[in-house]
Amino acid sequence: MTEWGFYGRSLEVRQLSEILARGRWFFVKIAGRRRIGKTFLINNVLKGGPGRKVFYVQVPDSGEPGVLSAVADALEVFHVPSDQFPRPRRMGDLARLVEELARAGYVVVLDEFQYFNRKPYTEFCSLLQAAVDRATADAHGIRGGLIVLGSIHTEMQALLEERSAPLYNRVTDSIDLPHLDVAAVVQILREHADAAPERLLFLWTLFEGVPKFYRDCYERGVLGADRGTLLRRIFFEGSSPLRSEADNWFLRELRGRYDTVLKFVARKPGSTHGQLLEAIEAAREGSRDQISSYLKILSERYRLVEGRLPIFARPEARKRRYYLSDNFLQSWLAALANPVSARDFQPLDALVGDADARLADVEGHALERLAATLYEERSRKGLPGFPLTSRVVGYWDRGDVEIDLVAVNERDNRIRFGSCKRNPSKLLAGVNDFRAHVRRFLDANPKYKAWTVEYVGVAPRLDADARRTLARNHVQPEDLEELTRGL
């Protein structure tokens, strides 16, 4: 079996390598969702520095004794000499330890740093600020530094970016770690399975660009397996690595407070505020006054929910429809959670088949996102295709308009409309409706009538007959093989 490698992240590797190469004090923030590869990135860059001293600790979600215990254990693991660096007994000692390690040339890495955004740690943050300020004043005399990793956006902001925070304006560099791009996912599949369009769509729907999940499949030997085998081994068996991933995530961060909202949005993408109110009241899990707070927290703090405005609406408009922004969570709540929860009571084959059928429905919506992502990625990399300057995003407020993709090139006055269907037969059967939707869009937005208008039909795979049928209707055929070519 081909050894697992380090995929994507060329920009972030370069950024971090340049920071370490300066040879002076640094304070770096690296943020990104759970399992996105923050620690793997750090390990990959730091191991390339011969003789570099590293101290890494994952901050537990606990009180002061738990944090100090974790630090003491990590000091032993990384062989930090106790005669030079006494083990901290209080949080103030930890702040001083960070400074002393950095002055001795260590790269200090505090993972899950967002847990320090809690009232009991206010004094620690102030003491850490003092340590950081002393190090900054002597920056050229210090060869080490501090890297903090965090997975909750707003709590990292509150610690490091809000004016009232002790550590405000102390960070020297920030790196926001996004999903792997599709090119990296395709590389993974080419090296360890196959990059067939159907497999790419299946796995991207499940995992998007979260590298840890692909590695889980690789380590179980199922990255190239059939759909049922992969789902069984990764989600349904007692030792399955992702069987409890989502639930643990909810319990650890969301603490079960937002389940109803998330489940409803996952199973009814495009839910309105009114529909969510009805769902909350029916479940008796909240009041009308709480729904706006729930949505604000889920979208701004956890970045799990996206509120889309009507096409061309003003940014301050309040009318929104809601979608989950995380593929894994969408797939789990809409397709996998119920079958997995019943694995001890019903035949496993039937449950896996049920999950697979539900997931096929989720893939239809995921194909729209994947196609849009590929358009953006190809344009950004200068690959052949449609050179984007922007996309029209949002939802169609008019019930008689439904278009999956609108790509805009303002330099050449070109606009491309796309219809995306997982099943090519539905793409062919809906050609006339698709063109009628575009006409209504153009009637409502006459600015584009003078532009070059293009039509494209997107499916995972299109055979010669499907291509001829689309071309006869003046719709350009495009499948995932073409959209991933050259990545």
Side-chain angles (χ1 to χ4, degrees):
M1 182 166 41
T2 306
E3 187 177 349
W4 187 263
F6 182 76
Y7 300 99
R9 308 300 189 209
S10 57
L11 173 62
E12 292 83 7
V13 167
R14 185 169 66 252
Q15 288 177 304
L16 197 52
S17 298
E18 289 173 354
I19 292 166
L20 295 172
R22 294 174 191 160
R24 63 177 185 269
W25 161 260
F26 55 82
F27 180 10
V28 181
K29 178 197 80 172
I30 302 179
R33 81 171 314 276
R34 290 195 179 280
R35 313 300 193 192
I36 204 67
K38 299 183 292 295
T39 306
F40 199 50
L41 170 68
I42 290 289
N43 288 339
N44 186 267
V45 174
L46 293 181
K47 72 181 181 183
R52 180 171 284 133
K53 296 182 289 187
V54 178
F55 173 66
Y56 167 90
V57 62
Q58 181 171 322
V59 178
D61 183 9
S62 66
E64 180 175 326
V67 172
L68 294 175
S69 176
V71 170
D73 291 344
L75 288 166
E76 298 303 320
V77 169
F78 285 88
H79 307 291
V80 178
S82 58
D83 57 336
Q84 298 179 43
F85 304 99
R87 284 18 185 176
R89 296 185 177 184
R90 292 177 292 276
M91 295 302 294
D93 298 338
L94 176 57
R96 285 189 292 275
L97 175 66
V98 169
E99 179 185 358
E100 290 165 4
L101 287 170
R103 288 183 180 277
Y106 278 82
V107 177
V108 180
V109 183
L110 301 181
D111 201 349
E112 304 293 2
F113 187 70
Q114 73 270 1
Y115 292 137
F116 287 129
N117 186 35
R118 294 178 182 174
K119 193 171 182 179
Y121 298 118
T122 302
E123 183 182 3
F124 166 73
C125 290
S126 296
L127 293 169
L128 184 60
Q129 176 211 53
V132 167
D133 287 346
R134 287 191 297 270
T136 301
D138 193 20
H140 290 279
I142 300 176
R143 298 189 61 82
L146 173 61
I147 301 175
V148 297
L149 314 180
S151 57
I152 302 180
H153 175 68
T154 53
E155 294 198 358
M156 291 292 282
Q157 273 192 319
L159 280 164
L160 303 170
E161 298 175 30
E162 290 185 0
R163 290 182 177 274
S164 60
L167 293 167
Y168 170 70
N169 209 29
R170 266 66 179 185
V171 168
T172 61
D173 304 88
S174 294
I175 299 175
D176 287 318
L177 209 59
H179 284 268
L180 291 177
D181 61 15
V182 182
V185 174
V186 169
Q187 182 186 356
I188 289 170
L189 297 182
R190 286 173 178 161
E191 290 187 9
H192 302 294
D194 65 81
E198 297 81 3
R199 184 173 302 278
L200 172 61
L201 177 59
F202 171 56
L203 292 174
W204 196 84
T205 300
L206 281 170
F207 306 137
E208 198 170 345
V210 181
K212 176 63 167 62
F213 297 160
Y214 291 93
R215 186 164 187 172
D216 286 336
C217 294
Y218 162 81
E219 291 175 345
R220 293 299 193 281
V222 296
L223 197 58
D226 63 86
R227 296 169 62 104
T229 300
L230 186 146
L231 290 175
R232 177 193 290 261
R233 294 288 303 278
I234 297 300
F235 292 101
F236 282 87
E237 295 180 352
S239 60
S240 294
L242 301 184
R243 181 170 60 87
S244 58
E245 170 71 18
D247 287 341
N248 287 342
W249 183 6
F250 294 155
L251 290 172
R252 188 172 183 179
E253 301 295 356
L254 306 182
R255 306 185 189 278
R257 287 173 290 181
Y258 311 104
D259 287 16
T260 300
V261 172
L262 289 170
K263 289 176 183 176
F264 191 82
V265 174
R267 293 164 189 173
K268 295 185 181 298
S271 301
T272 65
H273 192 273
Q275 290 170 330
L276 285 167
L277 284 174
E278 292 176 5
I280 288 289
E281 290 182 335
R284 300 180 182 275
E285 292 190 8
S287 67
R288 286 178 170 264
D289 294 336
Q290 289 176 306
I291 185 66
S292 295
S293 173
Y294 284 178
L295 290 171
K296 183 178 177 67
I297 290 169
L298 289 169
S299 61
E300 296 182 6
R301 182 179 185 187
Y302 296 106
R303 295 186 173 184
L304 296 177
V305 170
E306 174 190 2
R308 297 182 193 169
L309 292 168
I311 297 297
F312 302 119
R314 294 181 181 276
E316 63 271 16
R318 299 184 64 183
K319 189 176 182 181
R320 282 176 166 80
R321 290 186 182 176
Y322 296 92
Y323 303 80
L324 292 193
S325 54
D326 186 275
N327 277 18
F328 176 76
L329 189 57
Q330 173 72 40
S331 296
W332 174 259
L333 292 176
L336 292 163
N338 285 350
V340 169
S341 68
R343 68 190 181 282
D344 294 330
F345 307 101
Q346 295 182 27
L348 201 56
D349 287 345
L351 291 172
V352 172
D354 179 30
D356 193 15
R358 295 181 188 214
L359 193 62
D361 292 335
V362 178
E363 286 178 19
H365 295 286
L367 178 61
E368 298 175 20
R369 288 191 61 212
L370 178 56
T373 300
L374 283 165
Y375 262 68
E376 292 172 4
E377 195 167 317
R378 295 187 70 85
S379 182
R380 185 170 63 248
K381 295 178 177 180
L383 294 172
F386 189 91
L388 279 170
T389 58
S390 64
R391 281 199 310 115
V392 177
V393 295
Y395 69 90
W396 313 105
D397 203 14
R398 293 176 49 169
D400 60 349
V401 176
E402 183 179 344
I403 305 172
D404 300 325
L405 173 71
V406 182
V408 176
N409 181 335
E410 293 175 341
R411 288 191 297 267
D412 301 328
N413 286 353
R414 291 169 61 193
I415 185 166
R416 177 174 289 189
F417 298 94
S419 177
C420 305
K421 301 296 180 188
R422 180 178 180 271
N423 185 338
S425 64
K426 292 183 178 179
L427 190 66
L428 301 174
V431 165
N432 290 333
D433 287 340
F434 169 47
R435 294 179 69 86
H437 289 312
V438 172
R439 284 195 299 272
R440 285 192 284 270
F441 174 92
L442 294 173
D443 288 341
N445 303 279
K447 160 188 172 180
Y448 297 108
K449 283 191 172 183
W451 288 28
T452 300
V453 176
E454 302 172 3
Y455 302 83
V456 63
V458 179
R461 191 191 297 271
L462 291 167
D463 61 22
D465 288 341
R467 290 174 176 277
R468 282 192 292 269
T469 301
L470 288 170
R472 280 198 302 269
N473 286 273
H474 308 288
V475 176
Q476 177 182 324
E478 199 166 49
D479 61 20
L480 292 182
E481 286 187 328
E482 292 168 271
L483 287 171
T484 57
R485 190 171 295 149
L487 288 180

